[in-house]
Amino acid sequence: MTHTPGQPVRILLCDDHVVVRAGLLALLDSADAIEVVGEAGTGEEAIALAAKLTPDVVLMDLQLGDGIDGVETTRRLVSGPEPVPHVLVLTTYDTDADITRAIEAGATGYLLKAERPEELFAAIQAAAQGRTTLSAPVASRVMANMRKPRPTLTDRERDILAQLAHGLGNREIAKALFISEATVKTHLGRIYDKLAVDTRAGAVAVAKEQRLLP
């Protein structure tokens, strides 16, 4: 969805903490040309409200407690029926895996909650126009990752990554590759170290970003 110039940017808040939402609501109410049209505490609620309220921008936290997380919510929002809102991630998490997953899911921008209000307001206006905004620390990490050489994985590590991408658990991977679960865990540890991640989802996201999967 492209925001109409001259009209307030219509915002939907999605954060599972009531106090955080209240603080953001008070902050955004003080901003010119920004209107909060709804707030959600879960990803599922955000998807339902977005379909009903058609906001220009969804301000999205990554960790949402029960239900789907902010990344999956973002993916469903941007792949849903028109009009599709822009998603601006607002979070405290800035790991490589979190950033990669959010951007790959379709987030327009990635902002840290430590940013000054003026930065948040500017990012919302940019997101409404479909322009990418990244917090300085996030932009630095993205650039650093682009510059560093791609990790070298062994054939076996690539095999295990491919199984991870299909959603298989350790036992299923071991069975599929005719190796023990202990061997799978050992390889996973090496894969996590090489990709600088600490979760299965993070490993798959980084592997896709760096084209390490077939």
Side-chain angles (χ1 to χ4, degrees):
M1 177 190 295
T2 300
H3 171 249
T4 303
Q7 297 294 321
V9 177
R10 303 174 76 253
I11 296 288
L12 172 64
L13 299 179
C14 183
D15 195 298
D16 63 330
H17 292 99
V18 177
V19 172
V20 173
R21 291 204 309 272
L24 283 171
L25 187 59
L27 179 64
L28 294 173
D29 277 346
S30 71
D32 293 331
I34 293 176
E35 176 189 3
V36 178
V37 297
E39 50 181 296
T42 67
E44 289 85 352
E45 188 179 3
I47 292 168
L49 284 175
K52 178 181 178 181
L53 301 172
T54 61
D56 299 306
V57 176
V58 178
L59 208 54
M60 178 70 62
D61 193 13
L62 287 185
Q63 303 297 328
L64 296 176
D66 295 334
I68 59 176
D69 65 5
V71 171
E72 181 58 28
T73 304
T74 297
R75 184 177 291 110
R76 295 188 190 184
L77 284 171
V78 302
S79 62
E82 295 288 345
V84 173
H86 297 291
V87 177
L88 176 60
V89 171
L90 182 65
T91 184
T92 57
Y93 300 91
D94 66 344
T95 67
D96 292 347
D98 286 324
I99 295 167
T100 299
R101 291 179 64 224
I103 292 175
E104 288 211 331
T108 300
Y110 197 109
L111 219 62
L112 300 179
K113 288 181 177 177
E115 290 290 355
R116 294 174 300 153
E118 306 81 54
E119 298 292 338
L120 173 59
F121 301 156
I124 287 172
Q125 295 291 345
Q129 298 301 325
R131 301 197 309 271
T132 299
T133 301
L134 303 174
S135 285
V138 173
S140 296
R141 294 181 79 104
V142 170
M143 292 301 295
N145 285 335
M146 290 177 66
R147 292 191 184 106
K148 69 184 180 184
R150 297 201 311 177
T152 301
L153 299 179
T154 65
D155 289 342
R156 177 59 81 193
E157 288 165 353
R158 288 176 182 274
D159 290 342
I160 289 176
L161 259 179
Q163 302 299 325
L164 281 184
H166 287 109
L168 272 62
N170 289 1
R171 181 175 299 179
E172 295 168 307
I173 294 173
K175 186 176 180 180
L177 300 180
F178 303 102
I179 56 179
S180 69
E181 282 189 63
T183 300
V184 172
K185 289 179 181 178
T186 298
H187 283 302
L188 280 177
R190 291 172 182 162
I191 290 169
Y192 290 174
D193 287 343
K194 289 181 178 182
L195 301 185
V197 299
D198 52 14
T199 66
R200 303 167 81 88
V204 172
V206 172
K208 287 181 178 178
E209 177 200 24
Q210 301 191 13
R211 295 181 175 82
L212 299 175
L213 287 171

